[in-house]
Every structure is written in C-alpha cells, then in structure tokens.
Amino acid sequence: MAQITDPLRQHDWNSREYVEDWAQRQRRNETLRVRQFELLASLIPFERDAAFRFMDVGCGYGALSKYLMESFPRATAVCHDGSGAMAKLGGERMQELEGRFEYVISDFSKKNWSQEAAGDFDLVVSCNAIHNVRAGEVIQAVYQEIFGRLRDGGRFFNLDRGSATMDDQIAWFKSAGFQDVACHQKSSGLSLYGGSKP
C-alpha cells in the first residue's frame, strides 16, 4: 500500500494550552462537522432509542461522541484518546452526559492499543484522528484492531482527512476483514468511509 506523506506539523497533545488552542480552532468548523455527523448517524443501523455501546477512536474533546450520545439517548461511549489533556477537556465539555461515557488513554499507533477498553462494541467511529499516524501500514493495523473489537454485525466509520487515496482506504478496510465497504462522502476536507463485520 502507499505510504502516506501528509506533511502535518507536530502536535503537542500533552500540553493543556496547546490542546485548548487546537480545540478552539476546531470549533470554527463545527457547523460543517455537524452536517458530516448527521450523515454518519444516518448510516448507523440502530433505532434512535436503541441501547448500544460504541468506541470513538482518537475522540479528542468528544465532538462526535457527544453528538452521537445526544442523537441516540441510550447509547454509551468509550472515548479513546492518546492525550490526558484532551480527555480532561472532553470530560468537561460532556459533563451533562456523565455516566454514559468513559475515557481510556492509549496510543493507537502501538500494537494492542485498544486493550485499555474492556468488552466488545456494536459500533466504532473515528473523526479526524487516524490520519495522524501517517503510515499506511499503521493505519491498516489500526483498522485490524478495530475489527477485532467489534461484535458480529458491528460497523466502523472513519471520518478523516489525509493523502491516502480512496482505493487505499477501501483496501485497508477490506484487508482488515470488513465487508460492505464504501466511501459515503469524498471531499477535500474530511471523507467518510465505512464497513461492517460479518
């Protein structure tokens, strides 16, 4: 597979000041992001009152997790991130949803990163995160680990940016074991890919 050469600047996710500045800049995009979240939510194969458990990989301050928990009032979330500072900010932003989410901290570029979270999931989502590892083979490994944490019939949706081609993204999903793989939205910003576990 192609090596991703996205020339991203280095992030300091352990700095509270950097994280707060980054989050403030992200909020400027939230109007656009809500439309993308609506599309993602419309693809989730559960009724609005269904009780299901999902993991948000690299969830940052929890924008997508918060949207999904508000859209599905009985859903619960495991919010995964590599930054304690980001998890603290997310906990503050989602305080009114306390009891329906928990944060786990690990680096998803490392093997077995998901073992910090217990149990299996009906759904895994990610937004604007996985591209940060840059290397195609590492992204593929992340997808494989996600596949292993899903229950049979579970879905994974990745709303992300990066220089990987659509063909690469679809190939990574399929090589991890996903079926019904599709690009649901392709744009110069964030593109939405999804697949299901048989």
Side-chain angles (χ1 to χ4, degrees):
M1 297 299 163
Q3 174 83 14
I4 293 181
T5 56
D6 195 357
L8 296 173
R9 65 189 178 121
Q10 293 298 309
H11 298 292
D12 186 4
W13 299 124
N14 293 314
S15 163
R16 175 76 184 206
E17 181 178 326
Y18 177 86
V19 162
E20 288 180 348
D21 178 69
W22 181 89
Q24 187 62 42
R25 285 183 279 116
Q26 293 302 305
R27 289 185 190 115
R28 299 177 194 141
N29 299 321
E30 285 192 0
T31 301
L32 172 62
R33 203 67 56 84
V34 164
R35 292 197 293 271
Q36 295 168 322
F37 290 175
E38 286 173 350
L39 172 60
L40 192 158
S42 75
L43 297 168
I44 293 173
F46 297 113
E47 298 294 330
R48 294 291 166 164
D49 62 349
F52 63 92
R53 183 172 186 251
F54 72 93
M55 178 165 61
D56 187 350
V57 177
C59 76
Y61 60 74
L64 178 55
S65 286
K66 185 174 188 289
Y67 181 88
L68 293 179
M69 284 188 285
E70 289 172 344
S71 299
F72 297 90
R74 297 180 63 205
T76 57
V78 170
C79 299
H80 165 274
D81 204 78
S83 163
M86 196 70 82
K88 187 174 189 305
L89 179 61
E92 293 166 359
R93 283 174 50 92
M94 296 190 288
Q95 189 171 10
E96 72 276 13
L97 297 167
E98 188 174 356
R100 292 180 56 202
F101 72 93
E102 63 173 313
Y103 266 91
V104 297
I105 307 299
S106 67
D107 180 350
F108 59 59
S109 72
K110 309 299 184 189
K111 189 175 181 179
N112 297 323
W113 58 269
S114 71
Q115 298 308 306
E116 294 298 322
D120 295 326
F121 298 92
D122 304 293
L123 173 74
V124 175
V125 296
S126 186
C127 177
N128 197 25
I130 296 175
H131 73 274
N132 281 301
V133 301
R134 298 183 175 88
E137 62 271 18
V138 181
I139 293 175
Q140 186 173 351
V142 172
Y143 289 2
Q144 289 169 342
E145 189 150 346
I146 288 169
F147 183 86
R149 298 307 305 276
L150 281 167
R151 297 187 175 106
D152 292 348
R155 300 285 181 93
F156 168 45
F157 294 101
N158 186 20
L159 179 63
D160 209 356
R161 70 180 72 250
S163 61
T165 67
M166 181 165 51
D167 287 344
D168 277 343
Q169 284 285 354
I170 289 173
W172 294 333
F173 266 80
K174 288 182 175 179
S175 69
F178 289 101
Q179 295 184 349
D180 306 317
V181 179
C183 177
H184 300 285
Q185 180 186 63
K186 180 70 175 170
S187 77
S188 57
L190 300 183
S191 297
L192 177 61
Y193 295 89
S196 62
K197 182 173 182 175

